[in-house]
Amino acid sequence: MSTTDDIYAGSQETTDGRVFTVTGRDWDELVRGIGDDLAEERVVVNMGPQHPSTHGVLRLILEIEGETVTEARCGIGYLHTGIEKNMEYRSWVQGTTFCTRMDYLSPFYNEASYVLGVERLLDIEDQIPEKASVMRVLLMELNRISSHLVCIATGGMEIGALTVMTIGFRERELVLDLFELITGLRMNHAFIRPGGVAQDLPPGALDEIRGFIELMKKRLPEYAALCNANPIFKGRLEGVGHLDLEGCMALGLTGPVLRSTGYAWDLRKTQPYCGYEDYEFDVQTWDTSDSYGRFRVRLNEMWESLRIVQQCADRLAALEGAPVMVADKKIAWPSQLSIGSDGMGNSLDHIRHIMGESMEALIHHFKLVTEGFRVPPGQAYVPLESPRGELGAHVVSDGGTRPFRAHFRDPSFNNLQATSVMSEGGQVADVIVAIASIDPVMGGVDR
């Protein structure tokens, strides 16, 4: 009896297409003779959001026909932390503590883009001490090396090249040791602050940096030896995740994905910031527009970053004892807050200096530090070249001591748009290679 003859059947129980009622018969007997039309049905599967081979908590909805991906979509939002909204309830300096946690593999770039925006609103860009700018460049280029190492290491792990993974994380530990020496933390630093950086280089830091440069010059060729001409490695990457220049421009893709098409777009050269115009380095490109080209671009970029780090070390050696924060104490006091030996407040020497002046000075200092400095009304957008592409901070002030709005253009978010066009028509196994070549960090995507 059809549903149209059943007076008790609701509209939602009406079915379209072929309906099978199985009453105890064998399945083979049921499907025998139905025809081949059902054999061509496509299957929709979820890859994630806890898949071990995705960079962070990313969900991929794949429609597959056999081993071929016919449709691929991204499901994001699993790492949403409300960072941008939280920044509206904190002072301008405290904002660095939030934004550094977005793209957790390149925290210094998050801090730098936000801080450069705040400094533009304060109109103090020309007052930033040279040493502070050099230290920012040093930390960002070290961060580029560590981020690319993670990309290459995890990408190697996902295709079975475990040696690439082990040596990648081995070198990254050396960079994190330098971060810990300079900032006190391995990640989530909040070290780049409005007006400069939190503190000067510790004794012996330049020697450690130079030692790292010499060691990396010996270690980086290992990646080339393991991967560049490896037929298995090239077989998994060449022609996979193809996206040409026209596609990158249409989707707003930047970074190594864009430069793998042969287009030398790098904000350090095209729109310099932090004095990058004074450093000698070359923009690395490739011409294959595929996953292999993106790997080669990142490998070459690490060499260029080493060149810049070497120049930074030479400059810092000539800037011994120079200031690392603007002279304006109204900005410098809140920005240079650090934990004292008593585990709270500022250093005891600084407190003793403030309290020894006058009660008015102490009250003024207390209000300034607790409330923060005021930023003139306006808005600024400052883009910079992160390891994944253009990272920009749009900072809006209403004249108060807190951001009215802070919004970030994270390159991982834009670059993930390429998932579909890179994956559809390829094999299921190639989806992982394509995602790895994009190098998304989901903390930056979801914020």
Side-chain angles (χ1 to χ4, degrees):
M1 183 174 67
S2 69
T3 55
T4 56
D5 299 326
D6 187 355
I7 59 174
Y8 299 105
S11 60
Q12 71 274 12
E13 293 176 283
T14 302
T15 56
D16 295 323
R18 191 175 302 179
V19 180
F20 298 98
T21 304
V22 182
T23 55
R25 290 182 293 164
D26 186 75
W27 180 256
D28 292 336
E29 181 185 343
L30 176 71
V31 299
R32 189 180 299 123
I34 289 177
D36 296 330
D37 55 330
L38 295 180
E40 297 179 1
E41 285 189 354
R42 294 169 180 173
V43 180
V44 177
V45 297
N46 278 293
M47 185 179 287
Q50 280 81 36
H51 197 280
S53 291
T54 51
H55 295 210
V57 191
L58 172 66
R59 177 189 178 203
L60 295 171
I61 304 102
L62 304 178
E63 185 181 276
I64 59 176
E65 185 174 351
E67 281 291 312
T68 303
V69 177
T70 56
E71 185 177 345
R73 287 172 290 158
C74 285
I76 64 174
Y78 296 94
L79 272 181
H80 177 60
T81 49
I83 283 176
E84 292 182 357
K85 193 65 179 176
N86 273 302
M87 291 174 69
E88 297 174 16
Y89 296 88
R90 300 296 188 276
S91 71
W92 291 96
V93 174
Q94 290 169 337
T96 59
T97 309
F98 279 89
C99 69
T100 189
R101 287 165 163 77
M102 297 188 315
D103 182 344
Y104 38 78
L105 289 183
S106 55
F108 287 114
Y109 291 91
N110 303 328
E111 299 172 22
S113 62
Y114 168 72
V115 165
L116 289 172
V118 176
E119 290 170 352
R120 183 166 296 178
L121 290 176
L122 287 168
D123 196 23
I124 60 170
E125 291 177 289
D126 296 334
Q127 302 174 32
I128 307 303
E130 180 186 359
K131 189 171 186 179
S133 294
V134 176
M135 286 182 65
R136 290 175 178 180
V137 172
L138 169 77
L139 292 169
M140 284 192 285
E141 291 307 318
L142 287 172
N143 204 169
R144 189 182 308 276
I145 294 172
S146 70
S147 180
H148 283 348
L149 284 170
V150 172
C151 174
I152 293 172
T154 54
M157 176 184 66
E158 289 157 7
I159 64 173
L162 296 184
T163 305
V164 178
M165 184 269 291
T166 54
I167 65 174
F169 280 100
R170 176 189 67 186
E171 266 75 86
R172 178 176 181 251
E173 285 297 307
L174 302 176
V175 185
L176 296 185
D177 288 342
L178 289 177
F179 289 164
E180 188 174 8
L181 173 66
I182 296 170
T183 72
L185 295 167
R186 289 160 58 87
M187 58 192 301
N188 302 334
H189 312 275
F191 186 76
I192 299 176
R193 301 182 183 179
V197 294
Q199 58 190 25
D200 202 349
L201 286 173
L206 286 179
D207 294 334
E208 294 290 338
I209 292 168
R210 289 197 173 97
F212 167 78
I213 294 170
E214 295 306 315
L215 182 60
M216 285 299 290
K217 287 179 179 178
K218 300 175 182 176
R219 295 276 178 88
L220 280 181
E222 292 184 19
Y223 297 90
L226 281 167
C227 303
N228 283 8
N230 185 328
I232 300 175
F233 188 84
K234 292 178 72 173
R236 286 301 309 274
L237 270 69
E238 283 187 329
V240 175
H242 185 273
L243 186 62
D244 58 15
L245 176 58
E246 185 179 0
C248 290
M249 299 297 284
L251 294 173
L253 272 55
T254 52
V257 180
L258 177 62
R259 289 191 287 276
S260 70
T261 67
Y263 185 35
W265 179 262
D266 189 315
L267 294 176
R268 295 175 294 175
K269 286 285 191 182
T270 55
Q271 300 175 23
Y273 52 92
C274 290
Y276 266 108
E277 61 272 17
D278 300 326
Y279 294 88
E280 292 183 7
F281 67 99
D282 299 315
V283 178
Q284 296 300 312
T285 61
W286 209 253
D287 59 359
T288 55
S289 304
D290 59 4
S291 298
Y292 181 73
R294 291 162 209 143
F295 160 75
R296 293 297 296 267
V297 166
R298 291 186 177 100
L299 193 61
N300 293 340
E301 280 187 359
M302 287 195 284
W303 283 105
E304 297 303 316
S305 291
L306 277 183
R307 287 178 61 190
I308 299 174
V309 170
Q310 179 70 65
Q311 295 170 61
C312 289
D314 295 339
R315 293 188 183 195
L316 289 170
L319 292 170
E320 189 71 34
V324 294
M325 182 58 69
V326 292
D328 187 349
K329 290 299 181 185
K330 286 191 175 183
I331 298 171
W333 273 343
S335 289
Q336 285 191 303
L337 277 176
S338 58
I339 300 298
S341 56
D342 59 348
M344 55 190 293
N346 211 325
S347 67
L348 295 180
D349 290 338
H350 190 61
I351 293 174
R352 192 176 296 113
H353 168 69
I354 295 297
M355 294 187 69
E357 291 182 0
S358 68
M359 180 57 70
E360 288 75 16
L362 179 61
I363 293 171
H364 180 70
H365 177 264
F366 178 79
K367 279 180 64 66
L368 187 60
V369 167
T370 54
E371 296 178 1
F373 49 77
R374 294 186 177 276
V375 174
Q379 58 182 331
Y381 174 76
V382 179
L384 46 78
E385 190 69 36
S386 85
R388 272 157 281 285
E390 179 180 327
L391 170 64
H394 179 220
V395 186
V396 184
S397 173
D398 60 359
T401 58
R402 301 180 299 187
F404 177 78
R405 183 77 170 95
H407 175 65
F408 292 83
R409 183 223 186 263
D410 195 282
S412 295
F413 180 79
N414 291 68
N415 292 356
L416 263 184
Q417 295 179 99
T419 301
S420 299
V421 69
M422 285 185 183
S423 303
E424 292 171 1
Q427 303 293 298
V428 174
D430 293 337
V431 174
I432 296 301
V433 176
I435 294 289
S437 72
I438 296 173
D439 187 28
V441 175
M442 301 312 295
V445 173
D446 300 331
R447 294 189 289 285

